[in-house]
């Protein structure tokens, strides 16, 4: 399913949902509300930490969902040999933080090259 179909509407829904998560986060961090000794920088640091965690979770889940669409074997573009697809974990920098990707990859033993099938 394409995100572009009703992108503006979907984006507004996601922003509203995330704003609500922010309110929940505020209540989780400061159940009684922040005291007067809590600075804006303290609040910002907690929110930035949560934002990075959301990025890691969301990107990890979406790329995992894409990987499920791939076949268990990938044909080598050079020789055509069917090569088993494995997963290799690696950290990548994304906007708003970093994410750990379980990247699908295959290796053609005949051509001695790594293949990176993508959805
Ligand atoms: Zn090959």
């Amino acid at each position: 399913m394409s995100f572009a179909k009703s992108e503006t509407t979907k984006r507004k829904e996601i922003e509203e949902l995330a704003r609500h998560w922010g309110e929940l986060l505020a209540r989780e961090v400061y159940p009684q509300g922040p005291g007067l000794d809590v600075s804006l920088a303290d609040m910002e640091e907690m929110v930035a930490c949560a934002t990075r965690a959301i990025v890691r979770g969301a990107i990890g889940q979406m790329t995992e969902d894409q990987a499920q669409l791939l076949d268990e074997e990938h044909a080598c573009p050079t020789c055509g040999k069917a090569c088993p697809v494995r997963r290799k974990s690696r950290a990548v920098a994304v906007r708003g933080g970093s994410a750990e990707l379980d990247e699908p990859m295959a290796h053609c033993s005949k051509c001695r090259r790594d293949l990176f099938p993508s959805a």
Side-chain angles (χ1 to χ4, degrees), residues 2 8 14 31 39 45 57 59 72 115:
S2 173
T8 302
I14 295 300
S39 70
E45 179 57 31
I59 295 294
E72 293 182 14
L115 313 169

Side-chain angles (χ1 to χ4, degrees), residues 11-25 54:
R11 189 177 303 267
K12 285 179 181 175
E13 289 174 7
I14 295 300
E15 286 175 354
E16 182 61 24
L17 179 63
R19 188 187 63 74
H20 182 65
W21 289 342
E23 294 168 358
L24 294 173
L25 176 67
I54 288 173

Side-chain angles (χ1 to χ4, degrees), residues 47-96:
V47 171
C49 178
T51 300
R52 290 188 295 270
I54 288 173
V55 168
R56 281 194 308 275
I59 295 294
Q61 184 63 56
M62 287 188 265
T63 55
E64 174 62 28
D65 290 347
Q66 282 186 326
Q68 295 298 321
L69 301 174
L70 297 171
D71 294 329
E72 293 182 14
E73 292 184 328
H74 184 74
C76 173
T78 303
C79 71
K81 179 184 177 201
C83 306
V85 175
R86 297 185 185 89
R87 301 295 181 83
K88 183 176 182 182
S89 185
R90 72 180 176 107
V92 294
V94 294
R95 280 190 290 174

